[in-house]
Amino acid sequence: MTSAHTDQLQVALGAMTFGTRQDEATSFALLDQFVDAGGSWIDTANCYAFWESPDGRGGASETMLGRWFAARPGARDRVQISTKVGCEPAGPGTYPEATEGLAAATVERALEESLTRLGTDHVELYWAHRDDRGTPLEETVGAFAAQVDAGRVGRVGLSNYALWRVERARGIAAQHGWVTPSALQLRHSYLQPRPLVRDAVHDHRFGWVTDEVLDYATTEPGWELWAYSPLLSGAYDRDDRPLPQAYDHPGTTRRLAALTTLAGDLGVSRSAVVVAWMLASTPPVRPILGVSTPAQLADAVAGARLRLTPAQVAALDEPW
Ligand SMILES: NC(=O)c1ccc[n+]([C@@H]2O[C@H](COP(=O)([O-])OP(=O)(O)OC[C@H]3O[C@@H](n4cnc5c(N)ncnc54)[C@H](OP(=O)(O)O)[C@@H]3O)[C@@H](O)[C@H]2O)c1
């Protein structure tokens, strides 16, 4: 990691499989490269990556980040941590049916454990990873707000929530004078699946950016939208990652044609254009980059540095 900062990147680095699929050397190299390129947001969760761990438990990603902070003096001050609670399996093999949920005691305990693994006393953004309909929303919203009041959390976000639940959560917070959730994290990319088969590619029923979500984010001041899995597992640029069947429709063909044309004109990969398109869209969406090699990260950073013109964005948005 070098000492110089370049212009701040608006993308986040996804650390989901650091410490499981990526070993320490690879994880450290990607973190160094991201920060050197001007990145600051790192996205993780207390449950990452339980499905890759021999014991079926999360924690390896946060532990790896904590090791990196310890090995890189000053690094903690240069990054912003985004972590989550709510999806850790209640026991090995119980996901998605039984997870820890979002009761007040769980939020408090899970945050304590995350801070210990990360080796820090606060995180900049703390997310409810998915809705817990078995816990009163008021209890969950109050539990997150209490952590902000205690100085252990900067802001609160919601991930995989239905929009009506987001609005209800914000109403509850406003009613009590609590800190209001100010970010939503959902799955989003340039290509769109057919709505009726969305569930076939995703286990979060409401975990998609929809037109209604975009409208909400455009209208609400200070509201941030984060996109996970923006590169569709690499499908934009490699043949060994075929698109799921839900993307098999004429709109995909038309959108891929527009994407291919612009990527060719700009001399960059299609993945890079997808990253640039998200950042240039209205409302802007912050992509969370899932990368496992320095070359993939460099490619995504190139996309984050591109500045698409309104005409280029319109050319990408036109085909459906
Ligand atoms: N809130 C939530 O519920 C939620 C859910 C999922 C993820 N997330 C967050 O979002 C982050 C990203 O998610 P994701 O890993 O599912 O993202 P993704 O964008 O769908 O896939 C990333 C994968 O695509 C491949 N790839 C990336 N760039 C490439 C390139 N230029 N050329 C070829 N292949 C490329 C790599 O696969 P290989 O590694 O196999 O080479 C990489 O691991 C996670 O780390 C996590 O922080 C949040």
Side-chain angles (χ1 to χ4, degrees), residues 16 43 159-160 185 229 231 233-234 238 241 290 292 296 299:
M16 186 164 71
D43 185 73
S159 185
N160 303 306
Q185 184 176 144
S229 308
L231 301 179
S233 305
R238 47 202 273 199
R241 296 292 160 84
S292 60
Q296 289 175 1
D299 196 41

Side-chain angles (χ1 to χ4, degrees), residues 119-142:
T120 187
D121 61 0
H122 70 288
V123 295
E124 281 73 13
L125 182 47
Y126 199 40
W127 305 84
H129 205 152
R130 69 169 187 183
D131 201 352
D132 172 11
R133 302 269 175 107
T135 298
L137 195 51
E138 189 162 353
E139 178 177 336
T140 299
V141 175

Side-chain angles (χ1 to χ4, degrees), residues 93-183:
T94 66
Y95 183 88
E97 286 76 23
T99 59
E100 61 189 339
L102 295 169
T106 304
V107 172
E108 189 175 344
R109 176 194 44 75
L111 178 60
E112 190 63 50
E113 291 170 2
S114 288
L115 295 176
T116 301
R117 283 191 289 265
L118 289 160
T120 187
D121 61 0
H122 70 288
V123 295
E124 281 73 13
L125 182 47
Y126 199 40
W127 305 84
H129 205 152
R130 69 169 187 183
D131 201 352
D132 172 11
R133 302 269 175 107
T135 298
L137 195 51
E138 189 162 353
E139 178 177 336
T140 299
V141 175
F144 276 78
Q147 297 305 329
V148 176
D149 290 345
R152 307 205 297 175
V153 166
R155 287 169 50 209
V156 175
L158 304 173
S159 185
N160 303 306
Y161 272 64
L163 205 52
W164 71 268
R165 296 279 290 176
V166 169
E167 186 58 17
R168 185 167 288 184
R170 298 182 86 202
I172 289 169
Q175 219 176 351
H176 288 276
W178 293 336
V179 68
T180 311
S182 58

Side-chain angles (χ1 to χ4, degrees), residues 13-17 21-22 43-44 48 84 129 159-160 185 204 227-234 237-238 241 269 271 288-292 295-296 299:
L13 178 64
M16 186 164 71
T17 50
R21 284 179 56 203
Q22 283 78 50
D43 185 73
T44 183
Y48 290 164
K84 319 182 190 80
H129 205 152
S159 185
N160 303 306
Q185 184 176 144
H204 295 298
Y228 64 79
S229 308
L231 301 179
L232 300 178
S233 305
D237 288 298
R238 47 202 273 199
R241 296 292 160 84
S269 71
S271 298
I288 310 174
L289 307 175
V291 288
S292 60
Q296 289 175 1
D299 196 41

